[in-house]
Amino acid sequence: MRLLSDTVIRKRRSVGAQTDRDTWVRIERRLLDKITDQGWNGAECAARLEGVAQPAWWGCVVWRDTNAPVMWRADETELLPGAPVGTAVLSEAPELPNEWWGALNASLDALAAQSTTRVATPDTVTVTQALVTESIRSVFAGGFDTTVERWVPAHADLNWANVTAPTFSLFDWEDWGNAPRGMDSASLWASSLAVPALADRVRLERRSDFESRDGKLMTLFVCSKILGPHAHPEDPRLEPARRMAEQVIEELQSG
C-alpha cells in the first residue's frame, strides 16, 4: 500500500492521505500519558455502532516510538462519500439539503441510544462532572446546579470539519464515548455561531437536546470555551455566545 502525497491533509493531531487502493489512512502520534485505560482506538470501536453514517473501518497498525514516550497509530478506512463541509468554525453558510439534516439527526439519535464503557475525551481531555462544573463556573456565576443528569455516547468532536456533504458522514472518531446529553449538538452549534442562520438551524434540528437540562448545561460548556480567558476579541462568535449564555442561565435559574 502506498500513500498518495498529493492528497495529504494535516490536522491538529493527525495527518491523513488517500492510498493507492482507494482507502484512507489516518496517522496519529500521541503521548503515552494521553493514552488512558480505554485506549485510543476510537475509530476501531466506533465500527460496531449501528445506524451511524461513518466511513467503514478496515484495520490498523500501532507501534511505540523508540526515541520518545509516544505511540503511533495508523487507521485505514474507506474513503469519505463527499468533502468535509468546511473548517471547524464556519464563516459562510453551506448549502445542505433537508436529507442531510435528516441523516445528521438519525445518526446522532442512533449514537445516543447505544451503550459503551468509553468516556469522551475531546482534545484528549476526559469529560467528567468536575470538568463540566469547572468549565462553566470559570466563566459564569452560580445560582444554578451544574449536575449532569444523563450521560450518553457522543462523537465529542462534532464540527464542520468532521462531517461531509452532500452525503452526510461523520468521521474522526478518536475521542468518542459517554458525555453529557447534548454535547454534540452544542458543539456543532458553537462552530456555527459566525453564521446566525446556520446556528439557528442547528438549534431547530436538535431542539430536543437543547431544550433538555443537560443540553442547556452543554450550551454553557461550549460557550465557556468561546468566552473564557483565551477568547479572541475579534471572534464573531463572542456576542451570540454571550447572549445565548444569558438566556440559558436565566432558564436554568427559573427551572
Side-chain angles (χ1 to χ4, degrees):
M1 178 179 65
R2 183 172 60 88
L3 301 182
L4 305 181
S5 60
D6 59 341
T7 66
V8 172
I9 294 179
R10 291 177 174 82
K11 302 182 76 172
R12 289 178 303 165
R13 290 184 282 137
S14 67
V15 60
Q18 187 174 335
T19 74
D20 58 359
R21 59 186 187 189
D22 289 331
T23 59
W24 185 264
V25 168
R26 178 189 185 277
I27 303 171
E28 181 180 353
R29 174 184 181 273
R30 189 175 293 199
L31 292 170
L32 293 180
D33 60 7
K34 286 293 186 178
I35 300 176
T36 64
D37 292 340
Q38 74 178 21
W40 57 323
N41 56 347
E44 179 180 352
C45 290
R48 69 174 179 79
L49 296 173
E50 298 180 356
V52 179
Q54 61 174 311
W57 179 85
W58 300 130
C60 71
V61 177
V62 182
W63 66 99
R64 180 167 178 168
D65 197 310
T66 58
N67 299 313
V70 300
M71 295 279 284
W72 294 81
R73 180 183 179 100
D75 287 278
E76 185 180 14
T77 65
E78 71 175 344
L79 294 175
L80 296 175
V85 172
T87 55
V89 178
L90 289 187
S91 58
E92 296 182 0
E95 295 185 8
L96 301 172
N98 289 332
E99 292 78 11
W100 189 96
W101 292 100
L104 167 73
N105 286 326
S107 289
L108 293 189
D109 291 344
L111 175 59
Q114 297 178 66
S115 62
T116 182
T117 58
R118 293 177 58 87
V119 180
T121 57
D123 296 322
T124 71
V125 178
T126 302
V127 175
T128 63
Q129 177 63 65
L131 177 67
V132 171
T133 298
E134 178 183 351
S135 298
I136 293 175
R137 293 292 187 229
S138 68
V139 179
F140 307 111
F144 57 92
D145 188 4
T146 60
T147 303
V148 175
E149 296 177 345
R150 185 182 173 198
W151 295 72
V152 298
H155 178 272
D157 191 21
L158 181 52
N159 60 64
W160 295 107
N162 288 337
V163 291
T164 62
T167 300
F168 173 81
S169 181
L170 180 54
F171 60 100
D172 274 6
W173 287 86
E174 286 66 36
D175 296 317
W176 83 278
N178 287 319
R181 177 188 178 185
M183 171 177 276
D184 282 343
S185 298
S187 296
L188 190 62
W189 170 79
S191 69
S192 310
L193 277 179
V195 186
L198 182 61
D200 289 345
R201 181 66 184 268
V202 173
R203 287 188 62 84
L204 175 64
E205 294 291 339
R206 303 302 302 164
R207 58 187 175 276
S208 61
D209 278 344
F210 287 108
E211 290 173 356
S212 70
R213 187 176 177 284
D214 291 334
K216 293 175 182 178
L217 290 177
M218 286 300 95
T219 299
L220 292 182
F221 182 76
V222 298
C223 285
S224 72
K225 308 298 183 185
I226 299 173
L227 302 171
H230 301 295
H232 193 288
E234 297 182 2
D235 187 342
R237 301 176 300 163
L238 289 178
E239 188 54 35
R242 189 175 293 113
R243 289 197 306 267
M244 182 56 69
E246 292 174 354
Q247 176 184 324
V248 169
I249 289 173
E250 183 177 343
E251 293 173 356
L252 289 170
Q253 290 174 334
S254 63

